[in-house]
Structure formats: C-alpha cells, structure tokens
Amino acid sequence: MKITIIGTGYVGLVAGACLADMGNEVICIDNNAEKINQLEKGIIPIYEPGLEELVKANVRENRLKFSSDIDNAVKVSEVCFIAVGTPQGEDGSADLQYVFDVAKSIAKAMNGYKVIVDKSTVPVGTAEKVSEIIRENTKCPFDVVSNPEFLKQGNAVEDFLKPDRVIIGSNSDKATRIMQDIYAPFFRTGNRIIVMDIKSAEMTKYAANSFLATKISFMNEIANLCEKVGADAEMVRVGISTDSRIGNKFLFPGLGYGESCFPKDVKALIKTAQENKCKMNIIKAADEINKKQRELFIDKIIDKFGNDLTGKTFGVWGLAFKPKTNDMREAPSITIIKALLEKGAKIKAYDPKAMESARYYFGDKIEYSQTSYEAIDRADALLLLTEWNEFRRPDFEKIKNLLKQPIIFDGRNQYNAKNLKNYGFCYIQVGCNSIC
C-alpha cells in the first residue's frame, strides 16, 4: 500500500519506518527542509533503540522516502497519516493548528479517494473538525479515521512492530477495511485490532495516558506517606504489585512522570472536561501530585545543605525523562536543576544520550561531563535523576573517593540502602527513611 505520513517527529518517524518494514511504500513529509536533508543522509534526529537501523534498511530497499513535497505525496498515496505535534496551549488545551494546517494541505492536494488518519494525539471532536476543513477545500471523496498511538519511548519500534492492540476509530466500513489491511501484517498470531467509533478512539488515548499518570502519582503519594510513618515504599510497591488486579507496571515511586505525552494529555483531558462542565477530581489530583513530587526532592537537598547553595556543586546522573531516549520534554531534571541553579548551586551533568538535548534547556549554565564519574568529581553530592542501566551497578568506592562527601540523593530508588550504609554513604531516597 502507498502511504504518506506528515510529520517526522517521534511518532511519524517510527510509524513510517515500521510501516515501510512491512512492505508498504511510505513517504515521510516534513516542512523542515534541513531535517529532510539529514534523514535522507541517514542522520536520525531522535534516539530510539532500533530506529536508525530500521530507517536505513528501508531507505536502502526504496520503501521509505523523505520529502517536503506534500502535494505529490498525497496524490500518489491512498492513506495519509497526520502525525504532527499537538503542543500544550497556555490554557492546557491541545494546540491543533498544525493538525488543521496539514488537513487543509491534504485537501488541496487530493486527486481521488483518501483515508486521512489522525495519528497525532487529539481531543474528542477533532476528527469532525478535520473533516470540515477537508470538505471546504476539496470535492474528492474521503474518510477521516482516528488511530491513536501507544508507543513507549525507549521501546517504540518494538511496540509498533508487536503491538498489544491497535485502535481504529472509524465511521466508514471502507476506511475500516483499509486500516485493517494496513495493520494485518502486525497480527499474524492473533487479532488485536479494536474497531470503534471515532470519538471513543480519540478519548481512549487520553484515558489510557491519564490512567497511567494517575497510577504513578498514586504510588508517589503512598511513598510520601511511607516516609512520614517509617514504612518502606519499595516494600509496599512489591506488596501491592503482586496482586494480579493491580500489576507491577507504573508503580515505582520517584520524581513523577515526564515526557511530552503524560503531562500534556492529562492537562488536555482536564481542559476538555472543563469545556463540557465535567469535574475530573482524580485526574487533577494526579497532575498536582506530579508537580509536587519534584519540589519534595528539591526540599530534601535544601534540608541537607540549606537554602543558599552558593559554592555547592552537584553531580547529576541522568537528564532524559526516562532511559533509552534523548527526550527531555517535561523531564524532572529540568525542574530540579533550574531550582538548584537559582539557589546558587553549580551543576555537573552526564546522560548517555541527552547531552545535546540538555544544551537546549540549559545552554552554558551547567557543565557537561564526558563520563558519569567526571560529573561527580569534587561534587558535594550525587543526584540520580534517570535510571539508565549503566548507573545501576557503579563502583561505590570510586564514587566515595570522588565526592567531597559521600552523599547520594536517589530520585529513582535504584540502590540497596543497606549496602550504601556499609560503604559509609548518606543515602536519601523517595518513600524511605534516609540513611545518614
């Protein structure tokens, strides 16, 4: 099948490469000519395990192409995916200007029947607005479909190639059959394609992300109470996660959720509820708890070193919002580092993949280290903010010798407190009593 994907960001690029890998002829469109030029050279703008190899392999086989010519791409394709950004507006709503601009461009280029797929995360009712825009700009027949993505950064390629389910929101039998044909190769061992009406599909994405965000905030709130009463949040997590009704995912206490999806989608859902005069008390609480979680971690540092951090240096391990990505959007590290800088602290940071991303947020305000150990050399404390694998089993004797004083603030509860006590560390976690 011939497919066009408009938008070569995280969702669009992964979708394009994976759809091409199933034998489709895919054109990925972006209005950033420099980005297209880089992609044609095999330079991938985002870090995602397996993506670079997949892109290069399908470009080599001539199944995947990159272009800025949306007009030609639409004309030669039967299906057009809209995968542009929907950034958060000032009022918390999803900014749909890019989606609407693309819809208009598609309509003006149409030369026959097309299926237009909303792959971007959009509020309920967006498909109707996209349909109106297209009708205003073409006489050609078309159908608009909602096909929300459920990719986890760091595992996106695997998630797309082996999805646990694909949701198709469609009010057209013809469009539904075409979408089922597109995804059929991904489900040779079982049918997990769920077809529903468009509005339900649009709502499903927001509901899923908001539920997971709430689960994270719930565990963080329990962890905060554990600190007050002397319980161990890690033990509590194990105790409840072994209940099959609850499960063990998204239950790790820490610094809260980050990235572009959870914070943005939670706020967008709250805004949709407000517009429809519906209260969302649980979702609002999840959002507030998430903000507070980072402030509590900053408070732990202030409690130890005082409010004036002038002359203090902190070595930061981890800048991305999670491992296996260079994405720093809404990352806890941004809030924490900025707060420490405002209090006079010096920051030496290291992340395996997000160093260039960090320069966008901090410029020359922090020091960028070449290795994790360089980041803590002569630092007053180590702050662990992202749980990359290479940080899991460090040389604690070396850490102790490099630091001015043996203090670790662990925002991910990654280490064994008893072991660190034996090494002589002051170890401060989330949801557990400090060992100092």
Side-chain angles (χ1 to χ4, degrees):
M1 192 172 294
K2 294 182 178 181
I3 298 170
T4 285
I5 297 182
I6 299 102
T8 59
Y10 178 78
V11 174
L13 191 56
V14 171
C18 291
L19 289 170
D21 204 53
M22 289 296 152
N24 298 293
E25 295 180 31
V26 180
I27 304 173
C28 286
I29 298 293
D30 202 287
N31 59 7
N32 186 330
E34 178 58 29
K35 190 175 185 181
I36 291 298
N37 183 48
Q38 295 292 303
L39 286 167
E40 288 177 334
K41 294 178 180 177
I43 301 173
I44 311 301
I46 58 175
Y47 174 73
E48 181 65 37
L51 180 59
E52 182 175 349
E53 296 84 352
L54 202 64
V55 168
K56 289 180 177 179
N58 284 282
V59 167
R60 194 164 51 244
E61 296 298 324
N62 209 35
R63 291 190 296 262
L64 180 61
K65 298 178 181 178
F66 300 100
S67 174
S68 295
D69 187 353
I70 188 172
D71 186 81
N72 177 68
V74 170
K75 282 180 167 59
V76 301
S77 299
E78 184 177 4
V79 181
C80 301
F81 284 79
I82 300 177
V84 294
T86 54
Q88 181 182 314
E90 292 183 4
D91 62 353
S93 63
D95 185 346
L96 299 175
Q97 63 171 315
Y98 305 114
V99 172
F100 296 155
D101 288 346
V102 168
K104 188 174 182 180
S105 296
I106 291 173
K108 289 184 175 181
M110 285 170 59
N111 58 347
Y113 175 79
K114 308 289 179 185
V115 177
I116 294 94
V117 184
D118 283 336
K119 195 67 175 170
S120 303
T121 301
V122 294
V124 175
T126 300
E128 291 180 348
K129 295 177 182 177
V130 168
S131 295
E132 289 174 10
I133 291 170
I134 295 173
R135 274 193 295 270
E136 291 170 358
N137 290 276
T138 186
K139 298 296 184 182
C140 294
F142 68 92
D143 285 305
V144 174
V145 170
S146 176
N147 176 219
E149 57 85 16
F150 298 95
L151 307 179
K152 298 185 297 293
Q153 287 185 244
N155 201 58
V157 171
E158 186 75 4
D159 285 345
F160 201 105
L161 294 175
K162 299 177 181 178
D164 54 8
R165 85 285 198 202
V166 167
I167 290 179
I168 298 170
S170 171
N171 298 333
S172 159
D173 290 340
K174 181 178 181 179
T176 298
R177 287 194 298 271
I178 290 171
M179 294 299 294
Q180 288 173 323
D181 285 345
I182 289 175
Y183 283 107
F186 299 95
F187 293 105
R188 297 189 65 188
T189 58
N191 184 14
R192 296 184 297 278
I193 298 177
I194 304 169
V195 179
M196 60 182 70
D197 64 277
I198 292 175
K199 287 188 175 181
S200 295
E202 291 172 331
M203 178 59 79
T204 296
K205 175 59 186 288
Y206 282 101
N209 278 356
S210 295
F211 178 82
L212 296 176
T214 301
K215 197 173 181 182
I216 293 168
S217 288
F218 172 83
M219 192 63 226
N220 278 328
E221 194 160 51
I222 293 296
N224 295 336
L225 180 58
C226 285
E227 286 189 26
K228 299 294 185 182
V229 301
D232 187 328
E234 176 60 15
M235 294 295 98
V236 174
R237 182 192 69 78
V238 173
I240 66 174
S241 67
T242 48
D243 186 327
S244 60
R245 298 169 300 173
I246 297 173
N248 60 6
K249 295 181 179 179
F250 295 90
L251 271 183
F252 289 88
L255 300 174
Y257 53 80
E259 65 143 344
S260 63
C261 290
F262 284 8
K264 176 172 67 70
D265 292 355
V266 166
K267 289 180 174 64
L269 188 60
I270 292 171
K271 181 61 178 178
T272 298
Q274 290 172 343
E275 292 171 348
N276 289 275
K277 296 181 173 57
C278 180
K279 293 183 178 180
M280 301 289 281
N281 296 332
I282 293 175
I283 307 300
K284 284 183 179 178
D287 185 43
E288 290 301 317
I289 292 166
N290 195 61
K291 295 175 186 173
K292 188 66 176 176
Q293 202 63 21
R294 300 164 193 199
E295 296 172 7
L296 292 173
F297 189 77
I298 295 166
D299 289 343
K300 293 175 187 290
I301 299 170
I302 293 171
D303 287 343
K304 186 67 178 176
F305 290 99
N307 195 55
D308 184 0
L309 299 177
T310 303
K312 299 297 181 183
T313 299
F314 296 100
V316 172
W317 282 8
L319 296 165
F321 84 90
K322 65 177 286 188
K324 298 183 181 180
T325 180
N326 61 347
D327 195 344
M328 283 185 61
R329 288 174 293 180
E330 299 288 341
S333 63
I334 298 172
T335 306
I336 293 166
I337 290 174
K338 284 184 176 179
L340 298 179
L341 290 173
E342 288 174 2
K343 294 182 181 299
K346 178 182 176 182
I347 302 295
K348 297 170 66 178
Y350 172 75
D351 186 286
K353 296 295 179 181
M355 299 295 274
E356 286 304 312
S357 300
R359 294 181 191 278
Y360 170 80
Y361 294 96
F362 303 118
D364 59 1
K365 294 179 182 178
I366 68 173
E367 182 179 328
Y368 302 92
S369 301
Q370 297 298 312
T371 68
S372 57
Y373 292 113
E374 182 184 320
I376 61 172
D377 188 15
R378 305 308 298 159
D380 291 280
L382 162 60
L383 312 183
L384 178 61
L385 305 185
T386 311
E387 64 277 30
W388 285 92
N389 285 344
E390 67 181 74
F391 301 153
R392 291 185 183 276
R393 292 290 184 270
D395 185 334
F396 288 113
E397 282 293 347
K398 187 173 183 177
I399 293 174
K400 188 175 180 181
N401 291 331
L402 288 171
L403 290 170
K404 290 181 182 177
Q405 44 193 327
I407 303 175
I408 297 176
F409 292 89
D410 186 352
R412 302 298 179 180
N413 290 2
Q414 189 160 260
Y415 303 131
N416 184 293
K418 291 181 180 179
N419 287 346
L420 288 186
K421 184 179 181 180
N422 292 334
Y423 277 107
F425 279 93
C426 174
Y427 184 49
I428 301 169
Q429 301 172 267
V430 176
C432 307
N433 288 332
S434 301
I435 295 178
C436 288

